[in-house]
Amino acid sequence: MREREMQSRGTDMPTQERKLLLKKMEISVAEAEKRTGKNAVNMQETYTVYLIETRPVDAASEGTNPVPDSLWRRYSEFELLRNYLLVTYPFLVVPPLPEKRAEFVWHKLSADNMDPDFVERRRVGLENFLLRVASHPDLSSDKIFYSFLTEENGWKETVFETGFQAKADSRLKALNATFRVKNPDKRFAEMKHYGDELQSVISQLLRVRARAADRLYGVYKVHGNYGRVFSEWSAIEKEMGDGLQSAGHHMDAYAASVDDILEEEEHYADQLKEYLFYADALRAVCRKHELTQYELEMAAQDLTSKKQQREELATGTIRTFSLKGVTSKLFGQETPEQREAKLKMLETQIEEGEELVKERNAECEEFVKSAWVDIERFKEQKDHDLREALISYAIMQISMCKKGIQVWNNAKECFSKM
Amino acid sequence: MSAGAPRSLASSGQKSIQDICHPLSAEESALNPGSAADTGLILPNGTPVDTSSLASSSSLLNRLQLDDDLDGETRDLFVTVEDPKKHVSTMETYITYRVCTKTTRTEFDLPEYSVRRRYQDFDWLRNKLEESQPTHLIPPLPEKFVMKGVVDRFSEEFVETRRKALDKFLKRVADHPVLSFNEHFNAFLSAKDLNKRQGLALLTKMGESVKYVTGGYKLRARPAEFAAMGDYLDLFTQKMGTIDRIAQRIIKEQSEFLMELREYGPVYSSWSSFEEDLHDPLEGVSGCMSNCSSALEELTEDMSEDFLPVLREYVLYIESMKNVLKKRDQVQAEYETKLEAVVFREDKKPPVPSDVEKCQDRVECFNADLKADWDRWENNKRQDFRQLLTGMADKNIQHYEKCLAAWESLVPLLQDKQEAEGETS
């Protein structure tokens, strides 16, 4: 079914080439630029566009260095791409985009979308998104994704032509509805719970980290005041002066070093944020499973009730309450012809119902199978990536400690010469 | 293993004086001459110095050779303040300290003394020294009053900080060529019952204190030399105040950072509780943060207890020094006024200005004493601040070393798991 679905989604790439796109193509988001133009309501607006560069992998390895193909896209187009993927592959954990608005900021960080630091971090995040999609076993072969990377004009129209928006409604339903599923797959229920917990803990982590970053900034910067006062003090000293003065310079260096430290840490925060949003994507898949399961259960329920109705009609007993039953009691039974007609209709409905249940059942099973494969893949990716993130965080801390030791050793040397 | 214990840290910096064996200390195990070979340090009086690190022995030497007048000469008076104990009576609770003296001076009846003194005894001593040696700079005492409720006067940290300051005070007096021979100092070190002696001292020494009390004479101009001292002290006080404020602010910021760290670490722990593969790495990170929190807490405590009090001590010191400068001005003013009066008299009478002569003597003595003490003070100040700031650097280095050890021990743990995964996959 997946093969069929994939083909219907327009993967026109030959099967043997439907390997990971990333193996065939170098992708990067190289630059960002500001543009101004008129928006949908004909008002002047300023927005940022990002340059997507692509180059076949082979060309680079051959030694020739051809100019990469490139096109400009803005954030809203990335959003459109992602929405398309979400709707088209509801059983996949679709990689998330970098945040729309800066959150978990501390005072030195700007919450302004036009701030160059924010734009730079977003550029990196968008590149990461494209690489994630391009390295996904299923998503990488999507035609719309490919044309996103290669066709500047008319891409939007192409997306809308797929008619994905109609399906978008059912997806929204899945995310927002509060239906009760009788027999959800246990694994999905657990995964959803995991997604909830992951989202909650990473949010908390990011919040506290931002506050800690603020405080750390304060600690380092106040040391800069030592630089000034040592300098002033050295002016009134004779023998102590030189030592004090040079120590003061080291205090200034110490104060300045915090900027780089926190910039690196921001990268770590971005890695956590990616998984914060991934948690959301994971939950969406689980919710979608619930919806398919629910629809199956509804169809099954409907079938059961229709069968019961048939039985009642056939045996003349009324077990279930129905308006028909009441009216027939009040106004007398129907004629045999009427009953015959009804029975026939019910039979047809039951037949259709059984087909529907079969279909939905197959859909459900297929969904569970495909989704679970991707969830397993996601779990491994998550474990690997987060472990890497923790290692680089530890390495960052080590570097910070070493720098601190060096600066204070330098200062100590100056003090000892006082 | 989550974070693992930090590696033992390389020793850095000088030991503080109380960690060093007192050279003539009887309580310590007998110093064997062999140890002198290790350090190569033998005191001028022949006693070998048993120290465990080169850094501390050089610091010991620094402390012993404070006084230029004694350079090379035999030091014959050693004083320490140790062993604080709490005394509870119905009237009050207070701390006493043991003051140990070892000396070969003939001014003392015995070669060794061990007495118990409380803060008000030290305060008495300082007041007596100020009264009886007004031309000299008397070292400062730690602050007398502490706000009840803000500081716990009986906490280990507070008592230890005070003990160190009292020890420094006595050592400075003991090292001073004039103050160390003062009879009140002698009484303080040796008297069994200081209160009696205090009473006696009050009666018999009244006259002495009157010596330098002068009337309100106006000084025309402070000589350049002493004016420079006064100016310097004003600027120096300013800088001390600024440094005090900066240090306090850093402590505050660090405390607030510590609060966040204390919340940050546990979040990793609660995350680990619902992860499988990531459980150990996350726990490890949480453990590391906890270690860093402890290290930071130690740093801020040390700065509060060791750094700030010394700064404040200096500010007090300077206040008393300014007073001495003013007294000197008074003495000079008296002399100049009386001299002018004599000059203007122009009697045929030969001026018998024994009064004026005495004033001139006083001025000259005062100036000489003050200059000598000023040089001594400059020297002390230089050493004190070298020690203080080096100590501050050391504490920060130790803090970072502890954190470094914690994180470094975590990385291989995280990476090992990776390798293991690589093998199985």
Side-chain angles (χ1 to χ4, degrees):
Chain A
M1 184 257 195
R2 244 167 105 211
E3 286 271 314
R4 233 191 312 127
E5 249 195 275
M6 299 290 266
Q7 253 147 40
S8 72
R9 276 163 195 135
T11 28
D12 59 351
M13 290 166 80
T15 321
Q16 66 265 30
E17 275 183 2
R18 212 191 321 126
K19 294 186 243 173
L20 297 179
L21 186 62
L22 199 56
K23 294 221 153 67
K24 307 231 85 207
M25 190 189 238
E26 269 174 36
I27 304 170
S28 72
V29 177
E31 282 167 40
E33 249 181 45
K34 275 205 205 132
R35 297 272 168 86
T36 39
K38 292 260 168 88
N39 66 6
V41 288
N42 214 32
M43 287 183 58
Q44 199 77 339
E45 64 165 2
T46 314
Y47 55 90
T48 313
V49 286
Y50 300 86
L51 185 68
I52 301 178
E53 284 184 351
T54 52
R55 182 167 53 193
V57 164
D58 312 349
S61 61
E62 274 167 24
T64 62
N65 219 1
V67 175
D69 296 321
S70 63
L71 45 75
W72 294 93
R73 294 259 186 243
R74 51 186 296 192
Y75 186 82
S76 56
E77 291 175 273
F78 281 84
E79 279 183 306
L80 180 59
L81 171 65
R82 184 164 192 269
N83 284 336
Y84 166 79
L85 293 174
L86 280 171
V87 164
T88 315
Y89 304 90
F91 49 92
L92 295 180
V93 182
V94 176
L97 285 172
E99 55 191 356
K100 199 171 170 84
R101 259 164 287 280
E103 285 189 57
F104 305 110
V105 290
W106 51 284
H107 89 277
K108 262 286 162 176
L109 234 50
S110 173
D112 176 17
N113 280 12
M114 301 302 282
D115 179 79
D117 286 335
F118 179 79
V119 168
E120 172 57 21
R121 289 188 8 251
R122 180 175 265 193
R123 183 194 65 75
V124 172
L126 291 174
E127 184 177 285
N128 186 55
F129 166 75
L130 294 178
L131 294 175
R132 290 273 196 210
V133 175
S135 56
H136 190 285
D138 303 314
L139 295 172
S140 65
S141 47
D142 185 273
K143 189 176 143 200
I144 295 288
F145 173 58
Y146 186 78
S147 56
F148 178 87
L149 297 173
T150 52
E151 284 171 41
E152 182 145 28
N153 300 311
W155 174 79
K156 266 197 188 166
E157 286 73 18
T158 318
V159 182
F160 290 127
E161 271 165 25
T162 64
F164 82 98
Q165 280 177 309
K167 288 199 215 143
D169 293 333
S170 108
R171 180 171 172 269
L172 264 176
K173 191 174 164 192
L175 293 177
N176 297 331
T178 45
F179 41 78
R180 186 138 311 136
V181 184
K182 293 206 189 92
N183 280 317
D185 186 311
K186 216 182 187 181
R187 299 173 299 171
F188 282 84
E190 279 170 12
M191 261 300 118
K192 187 159 94 121
H193 182 60
Y194 172 78
D196 288 338
E197 292 197 292
L198 188 67
Q199 199 170 47
S200 163
V201 90
I202 294 184
S203 299
Q204 205 185 349
L205 207 59
L206 287 168
R207 244 193 321 273
V208 183
R209 188 214 72 93
R211 290 203 307 260
D214 229 344
R215 291 295 168 208
L216 189 68
Y217 185 82
V219 170
Y220 272 76
K221 286 301 178 190
V222 177
H223 279 85
N225 294 346
Y226 274 145
R228 198 176 55 237
V229 77
F230 286 167
S231 182
E232 290 167 7
W233 181 10
S234 71
I236 61 172
E237 293 293 342
K238 291 163 277 186
E239 303 122 332
M240 276 167 55
D242 288 336
L244 271 176
Q245 177 89 321
S246 17
H249 291 149
H250 292 300
M251 290 293 98
D252 286 331
Y254 181 70
S257 69
V258 76
D259 294 313
D260 283 344
I261 289 168
L262 288 177
E263 205 182 290
E264 267 194 77
E265 240 197 45
E266 212 52 51
H267 176 63
Y268 171 71
D270 284 340
Q271 288 176 295
L272 291 180
K273 275 183 202 171
E274 193 192 14
Y275 276 90
L276 177 67
F277 304 140
Y278 253 128
D280 209 37
L282 180 67
R283 280 166 54 214
V285 173
C286 297
R287 288 294 270 167
K288 185 68 188 188
H289 155 76
E290 279 179 10
L291 182 63
T292 53
Q293 179 74 13
Y294 177 73
E295 284 175 346
L296 169 64
E297 285 174 7
M298 285 295 104
Q301 205 177 302
D302 195 49
L303 180 64
T304 312
S305 115
K306 289 248 157 45
K307 281 187 175 165
Q308 242 166 5
Q309 277 179 50
R310 177 182 61 182
E311 198 196 312
E312 284 165 18
L313 212 55
T315 61
T317 53
I318 296 169
R319 236 179 308 225
T320 57
F321 176 80
S322 70
L323 196 55
K324 258 276 164 62
V326 171
T327 51
S328 66
K329 265 220 162 127
L330 289 175
F331 301 110
Q333 299 273 10
E334 311 136 308
T335 65
E337 294 85 20
Q338 284 175 322
R339 192 159 2 128
E340 201 53 51
K342 266 192 212 120
L343 262 170
K344 247 210 174 123
M345 200 173 68
L346 269 175
E347 285 292 348
T348 326
Q349 284 176 343
I350 286 171
E351 245 181 77
E352 288 172 350
E354 277 176 345
E355 267 306 306
L356 184 64
V357 168
K358 228 201 241 165
E359 228 179 86
R360 294 241 170 116
N361 201 29
E363 261 179 47
C364 222
E365 274 177 23
E366 193 56 47
F367 185 97
V368 164
K369 206 167 69 169
S370 317
W372 198 252
V373 167
D374 201 52
I375 285 176
E376 291 281 331
R377 180 205 61 80
F378 168 74
K379 263 202 267 188
E380 260 189 63
Q381 175 197 299
K382 168 207 63 137
D383 285 340
H384 175 267
D385 287 350
L386 288 174
R387 186 187 286 267
E388 285 291 316
L390 290 175
I391 291 174
S392 56
Y393 184 72
I395 290 175
M396 244 193 284
Q397 298 302 305
I398 288 171
S399 160
M400 180 176 93
C401 290
K402 285 189 173 160
K403 278 190 215 150
I405 291 172
Q406 188 181 47
V407 162
W408 281 105
N409 263 321
N410 290 341
K412 181 178 165 183
E413 222 185 283
C414 297
F415 290 141
S416 65
K417 293 202 187 110
M418 267 166 64
Chain B
M1 194 254 277
S2 45
R7 296 195 307 252
S8 67
L9 303 163
S11 88
S12 41
Q14 303 169 336
K15 280 188 173 183
S16 51
I17 192 76
Q18 62 272 17
D19 290 338
I20 304 166
C21 283
H22 190 38
L24 298 178
S25 169
E27 300 112 287
E28 322 300 341
S29 55
L31 302 166
N32 46 358
S35 66
D38 302 330
T39 62
L41 277 177
I42 301 190
L43 292 180
N45 61 12
T47 322
V49 176
D50 178 28
T51 58
S52 51
S53 85
L54 204 57
S56 62
S57 46
S58 67
S59 134
L60 174 65
L61 231 69
N62 274 341
R63 301 295 285 147
L64 294 177
Q65 285 168 355
L66 276 176
D67 201 326
D68 289 332
D69 295 353
L70 287 177
D71 67 350
E73 259 182 72
T74 311
R75 172 147 287 159
D76 56 4
L77 177 63
F78 298 90
V79 183
T80 53
V81 177
E82 50 197 43
D83 189 37
K85 278 198 164 46
K86 196 177 208 173
H87 293 255
V88 184
S89 72
T90 43
M91 298 291 286
E92 53 175 348
T93 306
Y94 58 92
I95 306 271
T96 63
Y97 306 83
R98 181 170 64 222
V99 178
C100 291
T101 309
K102 291 185 172 59
T103 179
T104 53
R105 288 189 186 178
T106 50
E107 289 78 9
F108 290 86
D109 296 333
L110 300 172
E112 280 182 38
Y113 292 94
S114 179
V115 294
R116 285 245 146 223
R117 300 285 183 246
R118 56 186 291 190
Y119 182 91
Q120 67 189 36
D121 297 331
F122 285 82
D123 199 33
W124 168 87
L125 172 62
R126 190 172 191 283
N127 287 333
K128 291 318 276 181
L129 287 175
E130 268 191 332
E131 276 173 26
S132 55
Q133 317 274 179
T135 62
H136 288 285
L137 300 176
I138 316 295
L141 277 177
E143 288 172 290
K144 187 178 204 157
F145 298 110
V146 282
M147 297 232 298
K148 287 192 188 168
V150 176
V151 180
D152 177 10
R153 290 175 302 135
F154 302 107
S155 75
E156 254 186 64
E157 296 81 19
F158 178 79
V159 170
E160 176 58 16
T161 306
R162 214 173 222 205
R163 187 202 62 75
K164 281 190 227 168
L166 294 173
D167 182 84
K168 199 190 265 190
F169 167 73
L170 286 187
K171 283 183 160 68
R172 283 187 175 153
V173 177
D175 290 342
H176 195 286
V178 175
L179 297 179
S180 62
F181 288 94
N182 183 282
E183 60 190 322
H184 303 296
F185 184 54
N186 189 314
F188 178 90
L189 294 178
S190 59
K192 275 248 155 3
D193 187 348
L194 191 60
N195 294 321
K196 282 205 198 126
R197 292 292 294 269
Q198 284 171 345
L200 273 173
L202 195 65
L203 289 173
T204 60
K205 300 304 167 185
M206 274 285 250
E208 215 180 287
S209 61
V210 185
K211 219 202 271 185
Y212 280 91
V213 171
T214 49
Y217 296 95
K218 212 78 197 270
L219 181 70
R220 233 170 263 139
R222 212 182 235 182
E225 193 175 7
F226 299 104
M229 283 182 196
D231 289 341
Y232 174 83
L233 290 178
D234 284 335
L235 288 169
F236 187 73
T237 310
Q238 258 182 38
K239 298 309 150 205
M240 289 302 104
T242 307
I243 293 177
D244 185 293
R245 274 192 301 280
I246 295 172
Q248 277 190 68
R249 177 116 180 259
I250 289 176
I251 288 170
K252 175 165 170 281
E253 295 282 343
Q254 280 173 339
S255 302
E256 292 183 340
F257 177 61
L258 185 60
M259 253 171 49
E260 300 301 344
L261 254 192
R262 287 219 170 100
E263 222 190 289
Y264 191 28
V267 180
Y268 283 99
S269 207
S270 64
W271 185 357
S272 76
S273 69
F274 58 85
E275 290 284 351
E276 291 166 19
D277 261 19
L278 290 175
H279 177 271
D280 289 346
L282 289 168
E283 267 305 321
V285 171
S286 180
C288 261
M289 300 218 155
S290 162
N291 284 343
C292 292
S293 297
S294 310
L296 184 60
E297 194 178 16
E298 272 181 57
L299 175 64
T300 46
E301 272 173 14
D302 282 349
M303 290 299 285
S304 277
E305 285 156 22
D306 294 338
F307 188 82
L308 290 178
V310 174
L311 276 182
R312 293 188 183 140
E313 218 178 79
Y314 256 85
V315 174
L316 292 173
Y317 204 172
I318 287 159
E319 281 313 302
S320 82
M321 283 168 73
K322 283 195 201 167
N323 286 334
V324 174
L325 274 172
K326 284 190 198 136
K327 269 190 235 161
R328 191 217 68 85
D329 288 346
Q330 284 287 298
V331 169
Q332 183 179 330
E334 185 185 350
Y335 166 62
E336 282 175 359
T337 312
K338 289 191 173 155
L339 184 65
E340 263 177 43
V342 167
V343 165
F344 279 134
R345 244 195 295 157
E346 292 206 35
D347 291 17
K348 290 304 172 263
K349 264 204 265 180
V352 185
S354 66
D355 194 32
V356 180
E357 260 176 31
K358 263 195 215 148
C359 276
Q360 190 181 19
D361 278 343
R362 260 191 248 151
V363 174
E364 279 166 15
C365 280
F366 210 134
N367 288 352
D369 285 347
L370 190 52
K371 267 191 259 195
D373 275 7
W374 179 265
D375 289 338
R376 192 170 291 112
W377 179 80
E378 287 263 27
N379 225 15
N380 280 358
K381 172 201 74 178
R382 191 173 170 193
Q383 276 170 16
D384 283 346
F385 278 92
R386 189 189 304 147
Q387 193 179 42
L388 184 71
L389 293 170
T390 316
M392 171 173 90
D394 269 337
K395 292 188 194 22
N396 277 279
I397 291 168
Q398 280 161 31
H399 161 254
Y400 277 118
E401 280 178 345
K402 284 178 207 157
C403 295
L404 180 66
W407 288 106
E408 279 186 333
S409 68
L410 179 65
V411 173
L413 180 80
L414 296 173
Q415 288 172 332
D416 270 346
K417 203 70 194 304
Q418 256 190 334
E419 281 162 26
E421 273 178 5
E423 285 161 27
T424 53
S425 61

